[in-house]
Amino acid sequence: MASIPYRLMEEEAESSLSSSKEESSPVDAVLFVGMSLVLGIASRHLLRGTRVPYTVALLVIGIALGSLEYGTHHNLGKVGHGIRI
């Protein structure tokens, strides 16, 4: 009787592992790094001349994107896959 819940948990774990392997790829990671560089350059350019450090803007952008990906049911596509990697 104890093997049935264990078997169900094992099947769920295998299905979640196989679905995560199918969703993410090295291309997603490269796109995420490229997008991060572009966001960093853009925030530094936009915040030039202000007293706000651009690293604070990057922190806010990162928290916003992470909360969109993990906290809601919105699918961010390849950006979301890059966040989850």
Side-chain angles (χ1 to χ4, degrees):
M1 190 167 180
S3 66
I4 292 173
Y6 176 73
R7 189 178 312 153
L8 291 175
M9 289 180 5
E10 188 177 63
E11 289 173 0
E12 288 176 7
E14 288 175 0
S15 67
S16 67
L17 286 175
S18 65
S19 66
S20 66
K21 287 179 184 176
E22 293 172 3
E23 291 178 357
S24 60
S25 70
V27 173
D28 299 335
V30 171
L31 289 175
F32 180 72
V33 169
M35 185 196 70
S36 299
L37 288 173
V38 168
L39 281 174
I41 292 167
S43 66
R44 188 166 190 176
H45 180 72
L46 290 174
L47 295 173
R48 187 175 28 189
T50 64
R51 295 188 55 126
V52 178
Y54 77 98
T55 52
V56 173
L58 290 177
L59 177 66
V60 170
I61 291 170
I63 290 172
L65 285 175
S67 64
L68 270 176
E69 180 60 30
Y70 288 110
T72 63
H73 295 293
H74 298 295
N75 188 6
L76 295 179
K78 294 223 179 256
V79 175
H81 296 308
I83 290 171
R84 284 190 300 273
I85 289 177

